[in-house]
């Protein structure tokens, strides 16, 4: 978690850093700070969002040509002014920002306390900084060497950036397990957790790898490994537009991202499938098709919303490819000594490509000889780079903390992969293959149509916003949609919500049903339709309030439910890409009606880079 930004060059550093921190607030926003260098080190930091820091700095001296900034998501130590970054060395000479966790910080802290160091925060970051300082002072080495020595003893994950008042034209940065991008300008360099703070200035970037150290001056970037050997930086050109990461007239990023879905799903399908010609071409899949179609089993690892996409993929892949699928929370998989056989293929699904548990789960799977296929949104992210092969979802930057467009793009990719494997394996006939391609092709237009219900969903949100609990039910492909709908509501509105398979309701949740409980039922027309109609009747018999997501024109459910939201008709296999969207909108409008900060809900972060 946490977002870092740094700048060195000919501009004023503070505005660059401040704007960058605002773009990175999705990574954490419980406190923020900057360290600026101008005839000495000036450090400003405080609890709260970046805007509060900005306000507190009005009228202060922020002039400087280099600086570092941080927006925090607390791990060690509560959100507070003193735990905010940057931290300062005991001699006041160094300032450091950090994203990650130093696991052996306690041991290092004791060693430093025994040497007389005092600590002013509860953070692992201050420990690492003072550890570096101690090496620098005692070993009489430069900062670069001190960092290198220190990092060899560090257990954990980090991106660190240090600024040194005695050496104002150099920043030192290092990475292991957390992301770091360096933007290369003319006589200037930009550092950030992702490319969004950088693209407005330069499109040329270097993604720093694990165990690499960067020595950055305005005119020069030197990359080294921890063995002090130089590495040639691999400069990439970014294909990312600034407009794509701004709100574009919407009140919130979340709403903008929900409304982008016709385009993002289209972008995800574009160039990869042709419904008329009847083909799917995906470089990463095509190159590895033997491995994929002969897999003994697929294991899909993911967290959060990506895990829900994985659950839907389980239904789709087993149906189409007849290959067993297991879906695992990455955090469970990594610790539970799972059985991974030769020939098993791991799909790792992640929007950010940086989720710590998913990253480590991939490492574990690789150690066991598995082939790892990454399905990732953020180009150049860690998961994309450590997977053997993969496919990007091309949903564009997702800023709202609650995932929306990344989810539907994941579904689109996973469906295409399943169709391609099934075709190659011969487990789908030509007619069904062509039918599903055309169903996929029509999804973006159908999403456009269903977004027209936004105003009526907003009215529903006003009607139900005061509920204390909500139940979400679905069957088959729509069961994980119910889980996702409940998660969205929890994240954005802080209303407790549970998702359940509709039939399982009788084994517990039905006891909760009364006239105060809104029950959201995902009941589009599919092979389970009659069964779910019975479930609705069971709820109505107990006076529950039913809000049903139905296929347009479904008179049966319209006659039973209290409220309905219609979505266009679609094959059940692709229907979740439609039925999820009203639930995203419902959560959004309830959140707004309740006054939550929907883009940055409390306690959450977009990118969970700690376990
Ligand atoms: C966080 C985000 C969720 C996301 C999950 C997994 O909890 O708030 O929106 O689904 O992490 O993240 P990933 O980037 O791996 O998909």
């Amino acid at each position: 978690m946490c977002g870092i930004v740094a700048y060195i060059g000919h501009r004023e550093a503070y505005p660059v850093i401040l704007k960058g921190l605002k773009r990175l607030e999705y990574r954490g926003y419980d406190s923020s700070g900057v360290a600026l260098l101008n005839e000495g080190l000036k450090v400003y930091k405080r609890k709260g969002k970046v805007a509060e820091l900005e306000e507190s700095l009005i009228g202060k001296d922020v002039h400087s040509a280099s600086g570092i900034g941080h927006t925090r998501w607390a791990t060690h130590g509560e959100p507070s002014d003193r735990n905010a970054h940057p931290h300062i060395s005991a001699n006041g000479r160094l300032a450091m920002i950090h994203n990650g966790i130093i696991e052996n910080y306690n041991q290092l802290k004791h060693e430093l306390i025994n040497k007389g160091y005092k600590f002013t925060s509860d953070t692992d970051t201050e420990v690492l900084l003072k550890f570096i300082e101690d090496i620098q002072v005692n070993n009489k080495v430069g900062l670069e060497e001190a960092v290198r020595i220190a990092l060899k003893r560090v257990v954990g994950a980090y991106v660190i950036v240090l600024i040194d008042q005695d050496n104002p034209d150099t920043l030192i940065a290092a990475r292991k397990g957390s992301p770091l991008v360096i933007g290369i300008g003319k006589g200037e360099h930009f550092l950030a957790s992702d490319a969004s703070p950088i693209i407005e200035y330069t499109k040329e970037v270097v993604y720093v790898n694990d165990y690499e150290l960067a020595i950055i001056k305005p005119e020069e970037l030197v990359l080294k490994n921890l063995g002090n050997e130089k590495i040639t930086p691999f400069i990439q050109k970014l294909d990312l537009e600034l407009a794509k990461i701004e709100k574009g007239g919407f009140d919130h990023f979340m709403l903008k991202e929900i409304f982008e879905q016709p385009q993002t799903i289209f972008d995800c399908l574009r160039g990869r499938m042709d419904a008329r010609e009847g083909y799917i071409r995906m470089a990463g899949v095509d190159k590895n098709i033997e491995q994929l179609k002969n897999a003994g089993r697929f294991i899909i690892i993911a967290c959060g919303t990506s895990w829900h996409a994985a659950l839907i993929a389980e239904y789709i892949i087993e149906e189409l490819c007849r290959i067993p699928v297991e879906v695992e929370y990455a955090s469970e998989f990594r610790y539970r000594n799972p059985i991974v056989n030769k020939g098993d293929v791991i799909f790792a699904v992640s929007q950010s490509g940086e989720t710590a548990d998913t990253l480590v789960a991939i490492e574990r799977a690789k150690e066991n000889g598995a082939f790892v296929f990454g399905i990732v949104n953020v180009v150049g992210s860690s998961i994309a780079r450590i997977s053997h092969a993969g496919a990007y979802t091309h949903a564009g930057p997702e800023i709202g903390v609650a995932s929306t467009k990344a989810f539907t793009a994941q579904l689109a990719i996973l469906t295409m992969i399943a169709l391609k494997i099934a075709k190659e394996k011969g487990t789908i006939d030509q007619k069904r293959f062509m039918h599903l391609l055309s169903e996929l092709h029509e999804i973006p237009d159908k999403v456009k149509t269903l977004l027209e219900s936004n105003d009526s969903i907003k009215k529903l949100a006003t009607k139900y916003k005061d509920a204390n609990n909500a139940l979400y039910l679905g069957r088959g492909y729509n069961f994980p949609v119910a889980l996702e709908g409940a998660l969205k509501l929890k994240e954005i509105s802080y209303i407790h919500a549970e998702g359940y398979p509709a039939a399982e309701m009788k084994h517990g949740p039905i006891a909760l049903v009364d006239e105060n409980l809104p029950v959201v039922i995902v009941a589009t027309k599919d092979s389970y339709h009659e069964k779910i109609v019975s479930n609705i009747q069971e709820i109505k018999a107990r006076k529950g309030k039913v809000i049903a997501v139905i296929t347009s024109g479904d008179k049966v459910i319209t006659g039973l439910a209290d409220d309905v939201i219609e979505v266009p008709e679609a094959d059940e296999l692709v229907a979740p890409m439609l039925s999820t969207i009203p639930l995203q909108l419902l959560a959004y409008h309830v959140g707004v009606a309740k006054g939550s900060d929907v883009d940055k809900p409390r306690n959450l972060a977009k990118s969970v880079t700690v376990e």
Side-chain angles (χ1 to χ4, degrees):
M1 324 295 260
C2 306
I4 59 142
V5 188
Y7 175 79
I8 188 160
H10 48 77
R11 297 172 203 254
E12 279 293 337
Y14 174 65
V16 174
I17 293 170
L18 188 72
K19 208 188 246 185
L21 290 179
K22 287 184 181 165
R23 295 227 166 96
L24 290 182
E25 266 193 306
Y26 72 84
R27 302 178 64 86
Y29 36 80
D30 60 45
S31 53
S32 60
V34 290
L36 304 165
L37 210 49
N38 177 32
E39 291 166 8
L41 202 52
K42 292 189 183 64
V43 177
Y44 305 107
K45 53 185 194 169
R46 58 178 292 138
K47 185 178 168 187
K49 297 192 174 137
V50 176
E52 292 167 54
L53 174 77
E54 180 181 17
E55 214 177 292
S56 72
L57 291 190
I58 294 171
K60 294 254 166 59
D61 176 15
V62 289
H63 175 61
S64 76
S66 63
I68 57 179
H70 189 272
T71 177
R72 180 169 186 253
W73 188 87
T75 54
H76 291 78
E78 56 166 13
S80 64
D81 291 357
R82 64 192 196 92
N83 286 332
H85 299 212
H87 289 279
I88 312 165
S89 59
N91 58 15
R93 186 183 141 178
L94 306 172
M96 185 173 99
I97 47 175
H98 168 218
N99 166 29
I101 288 187
I102 307 303
E103 288 170 20
N104 56 340
Y105 84 102
N106 227 342
Q107 187 192 340
L108 299 175
K109 191 169 184 176
H110 276 109
E111 290 174 22
L112 291 165
I113 288 172
N114 288 339
K115 289 182 172 182
Y117 281 89
K118 299 232 166 352
F119 287 87
T120 55
S121 78
D122 311 312
T123 65
D124 51 345
T125 307
E126 190 188 0
V127 175
L128 176 56
L129 173 60
K130 289 186 171 160
F131 184 53
I132 292 170
E133 175 185 13
D134 187 58
I135 295 170
Q136 193 184 17
V137 173
N138 286 331
N139 297 20
K140 299 202 171 46
V141 291
L143 182 58
E144 178 195 331
E145 185 58 16
V147 169
R148 197 184 343 271
I149 297 170
L151 292 183
K152 286 186 184 156
R153 270 209 58 200
V154 161
V155 180
Y158 54 80
V159 159
I160 52 169
V161 186
L162 290 110
I163 194 164
D164 176 358
Q165 73 171 17
D166 291 0
N167 205 354
D169 69 339
T170 308
L171 298 174
I172 306 276
R175 136 170 198 161
K176 189 205 148 200
S178 299
L180 175 62
V181 190
I182 302 181
I184 302 174
K186 285 204 173 66
E188 58 183 348
H189 285 103
F190 306 82
L191 285 77
S193 301
D194 74 24
S196 61
I198 297 175
I199 47 166
E200 128 172 45
Y201 310 102
T202 175
K203 297 243 153 101
E204 297 207 330
V205 298
V206 171
Y207 287 94
V208 178
N209 292 308
D210 279 352
Y211 304 107
E212 285 178 1
L213 200 92
I215 303 103
I216 307 126
K217 298 177 190 294
E219 302 282 351
E220 187 189 36
L221 164 67
V222 175
L223 272 190
K224 291 184 178 176
N225 61 21
L226 292 187
N228 201 19
E229 291 158 341
K230 276 199 181 176
I231 299 163
T232 311
F234 174 56
I235 301 175
Q236 302 189 34
K237 233 183 157 66
L238 282 179
D239 179 23
L240 195 64
E241 296 305 323
L242 187 60
K244 289 208 170 151
I245 54 171
E246 302 205 313
K247 269 190 221 155
F250 287 90
D251 288 344
H252 297 96
F253 281 112
M254 183 178 175
L255 190 61
K256 175 187 174 229
E257 286 157 5
I258 292 173
F259 270 81
E260 277 174 353
Q261 289 175 105
Q263 187 62 44
T264 50
I265 298 173
F266 177 78
D267 288 344
C268 179
L269 304 175
R270 185 171 50 183
R272 287 169 159 164
M273 56 153 274
D274 190 315
R276 221 174 303 148
E277 300 288 320
Y279 67 77
I280 293 177
R281 282 189 203 130
M282 300 171 75
V285 176
D286 296 348
K287 255 190 245 155
N288 299 287
I289 193 66
E290 289 304 312
Q291 182 108 32
L292 293 166
K293 77 175 201 208
N294 294 318
R297 184 174 56 149
F298 292 121
I299 304 171
I300 317 184
I301 47 181
C303 303
T305 288
S306 299
W307 187 79
H308 293 153
L311 282 182
I312 296 174
E314 175 183 10
Y315 283 54
I316 297 174
I317 296 172
E318 290 204 346
E319 167 69 23
L320 295 181
C321 311
R322 310 311 298 155
I323 296 173
V325 180
E326 277 175 39
V327 178
E328 295 254 8
Y329 283 117
S331 53
E332 290 296 314
F333 182 87
R334 66 179 281 193
Y335 284 117
R336 71 171 188 80
N337 194 16
I339 297 167
V340 179
N341 299 315
K342 211 167 177 292
D344 286 351
V345 169
I346 307 284
F347 286 120
V349 185
S350 172
Q351 187 286 127
S352 61
E354 302 294 348
T355 302
D357 283 324
T358 311
L359 269 166
V360 179
I362 291 173
E363 299 288 5
R364 294 280 165 280
K366 280 169 80 178
E367 282 157 21
N368 283 302
F371 177 79
V372 178
F373 192 99
I375 294 166
V376 169
N377 192 36
V378 177
V379 176
S381 56
S382 304
I383 292 177
R385 286 182 296 139
I386 65 166
S387 300
H388 294 112
Y392 285 118
T393 44
H394 294 318
E398 192 179 63
I399 310 291
V401 164
S403 186
T404 52
K405 63 175 181 172
F407 176 74
T408 46
Q410 287 165 348
L411 294 182
I413 282 277
L414 286 158
T415 309
M416 275 192 291
I417 293 174
L419 276 167
K420 176 79 185 183
I421 297 172
K423 186 81 176 78
E424 294 289 329
K425 210 172 148 59
T427 47
I428 187 169
D429 63 39
Q430 182 65 7
K431 193 167 160 230
R432 179 115 175 97
F433 180 72
M434 292 302 283
H435 169 71
L436 286 172
L437 281 190
S438 112
E439 284 286 312
L440 262 179
H441 175 77
E442 287 171 14
I443 290 289
D445 279 342
K446 291 182 179 172
V447 173
K448 230 180 257 169
T449 309
L450 79 81
L451 287 170
E452 288 166 13
S453 317
N454 183 40
D455 286 343
S456 49
I457 295 174
K458 189 173 173 184
K459 283 191 195 124
L460 277 186
T462 318
K463 180 168 167 190
Y464 291 104
K465 75 174 176 27
D466 295 320
N468 293 322
N469 295 288
L471 189 58
Y472 282 67
L473 303 175
R475 297 181 86 118
Y477 296 98
N478 277 329
F479 154 53
V481 172
L483 293 179
E484 176 59 9
L487 176 65
K488 286 286 91 82
L489 191 75
K490 272 184 279 213
E491 286 178 303
I492 300 304
S493 71
Y494 317 141
I495 294 176
H496 171 250
E498 276 193 66
Y500 251 82
E504 194 61 22
M505 168 183 79
K506 294 200 198 70
H507 302 284
I510 201 162
L512 302 173
V513 176
D514 63 13
E515 64 279 9
N516 298 316
L517 185 77
V519 184
V520 179
I521 304 206
V522 194
T524 49
K525 279 210 173 129
D526 55 20
S527 22
Y528 310 86
H529 191 253
E530 274 178 29
K531 305 271 173 213
I532 209 152
V533 169
S534 310
N535 296 134
I536 294 175
Q537 276 157 338
E538 287 154 7
I539 294 160
K540 285 314 299 169
R542 287 157 184 86
K543 300 193 169 55
K545 295 273 177 289
V546 171
I547 306 148
V549 177
I550 59 168
T551 303
S552 301
D554 181 340
K555 298 222 165 52
V556 178
I557 299 186
T558 306
L560 286 172
D562 295 82
D563 292 287
V564 294
I565 305 169
E566 297 196 0
V567 299
E569 187 161 4
D571 188 287
E572 63 181 3
L573 204 125
V574 298
M577 275 180 266
L578 303 177
S579 52
T580 304
I581 294 173
L583 306 186
Q584 296 171 345
L585 283 169
L586 184 64
Y588 170 78
H589 288 300
V590 174
V592 172
K594 290 183 74 92
S596 332
D597 187 351
V598 293
D599 280 339
K600 300 186 196 97
R602 67 184 183 208
N603 305 337
L604 298 176
K606 181 83 190 146
S607 191
V608 181
T609 56
V610 293
E611 65 168 289

